[in-house]
Amino acid sequence: MKLRNLILLGMISFSATALWKMPASFAYQYAPHGNLQAQGLSGTLWNGEAKQVTLKKITLNNISWRIDPLKSLTSFGLKSQIEVQDPNLSVNGLAGINFSQTISLESTQIEATGAFISKFQKLAKLKGDIKANIIQLELIKGQLPLLDAIIEWKQGELTAPIRIRPAGDYSIIVTPNDKGLNAKISSHQAPLILSGDANITTDWKYKTNIKIKAASAANKGIMNMLKMVVGKLERDGSAIIKQQGQLNAFY
């Protein structure tokens, strides 16, 4: 092997080793991080943890990561096993991003409180725990996400804009197909019996067909409030939500 090639190989090996062993605190100090603030960094750039991370007023505690070199190489991006152990949010799974800025999650378990989820939207105030088993998620810029997941709302209560109680269990099973995404909605031991589904096509057109019925006579007051939204109730006292429209890409 020529001396030039030996020198080049040596420089590459040295650079790879330096990056692999680079302390996370050192990399954070010199890398642009914008609105992201991290404290209590330890470990290396490739296998480390942060005691606290803040992004746009959202603060999470106890975050760790471990980059998978083989999966990163085969995906032409960055794949990392991540873990978050915060009182309001726990995450454990494989996260990735590639050169085209496609974000992915695989075999990821997420648990969050209803109060934490309520911070991200103004439509409803939630109580209870949200659990998600994300088998696969891909966020591609301008395209409908690919999502295969089971989302459960355990002992869930809605406190605003209307109050729905007592607590109950609700679930959404999202699966991808050739036309887009399908979400099947159901409930268990809840004040409202939910059934039906919603579909979103690859060109972001949505259609819903969801039936809502009071589980007992004690919950009929909730249906009267829903009547103001849907316009009328069916003969059996249920409400059928059939809507369709156009959504916009959010990434």
Side-chain angles (χ1 to χ4, degrees):
M1 183 180 292
K2 292 183 179 180
L3 179 60
R4 181 182 60 186
N5 292 337
L6 284 172
I7 294 174
L8 180 61
L9 180 61
M11 292 177 63
I12 293 173
S13 299
F14 174 80
S15 299
T17 303
L19 284 172
W20 187 262
K21 295 185 176 182
M22 181 181 293
S25 57
F26 180 85
Y28 173 79
Q29 182 179 358
Y30 292 97
H33 39 76
N35 294 322
L36 180 68
Q37 301 295 323
Q39 297 179 2
L41 288 165
S42 61
T44 67
L45 182 63
W46 305 100
N47 187 358
E49 63 179 40
K51 293 298 182 183
Q52 189 178 87
V53 172
T54 302
L55 178 63
K56 292 183 178 180
K57 299 181 180 181
I58 299 297
T59 299
L60 296 175
N61 298 298
N62 303 318
I63 300 175
S64 62
W65 63 89
R66 186 179 69 255
I67 292 176
D68 190 315
L70 182 59
K71 290 183 178 179
S72 296
L73 184 64
T74 55
S75 65
F76 299 101
L78 192 64
K79 294 274 187 176
S80 178
Q81 192 72 28
I82 62 170
E83 187 173 358
V84 179
Q85 293 181 326
D86 185 88
N88 293 310
L89 176 71
S90 67
V91 180
N92 194 332
L94 185 66
I97 186 168
N98 63 19
F99 293 108
S100 62
Q101 297 185 329
T102 295
I103 299 172
S104 65
L105 290 176
E106 300 174 44
S107 304
T108 300
Q109 308 295 321
I110 300 175
E111 295 186 17
T113 63
F116 181 79
I117 297 299
S118 297
K119 294 179 181 179
F120 296 94
Q121 47 79 39
K122 298 180 180 180
L123 296 176
K125 298 296 182 183
L126 312 175
K127 286 186 176 180
D129 296 316
I130 290 89
K131 299 183 178 181
N133 175 21
I134 299 179
I135 301 165
Q136 185 179 14
L137 167 66
E138 285 188 4
L139 292 175
I140 303 172
K141 281 200 168 184
Q143 296 185 27
L144 184 73
L146 179 124
L147 179 60
D148 189 353
I150 300 172
I151 303 168
E152 297 177 299
W153 185 15
K154 295 290 187 180
Q155 290 299 290
E157 289 185 41
L158 184 66
T159 60
I162 63 174
R163 181 175 290 273
I164 298 179
R165 56 183 312 183
D169 295 342
Y170 305 88
S171 69
I172 302 175
I173 300 175
V174 184
T175 53
N177 54 47
D178 293 338
K179 296 181 179 180
L181 295 175
N182 172 260
K184 295 189 180 299
I185 301 166
S186 62
S187 63
H188 178 66
Q189 294 184 347
L192 296 178
I193 302 172
L194 301 184
S195 60
D197 63 2
N199 293 280
I200 305 177
T201 61
T202 54
D203 55 355
W204 295 88
K205 293 179 180 178
Y206 74 89
K207 183 181 293 186
T208 66
N209 184 14
I210 302 169
K211 183 177 181 179
I212 306 175
K213 188 176 181 181
S216 66
N219 305 124
K220 286 186 177 179
I222 301 174
M223 298 306 301
N224 290 330
M225 287 186 286
L226 285 175
K227 184 179 179 180
M228 294 185 293
V229 178
V230 299
K232 67 174 183 177
L233 300 180
E234 304 299 313
R235 289 186 177 181
D236 63 354
S238 65
I240 305 295
I241 299 178
K242 288 188 176 183
Q243 293 183 345
Q244 58 184 6
Q246 180 72 48
L247 298 173
N248 296 318
F250 59 85
Y251 178 67

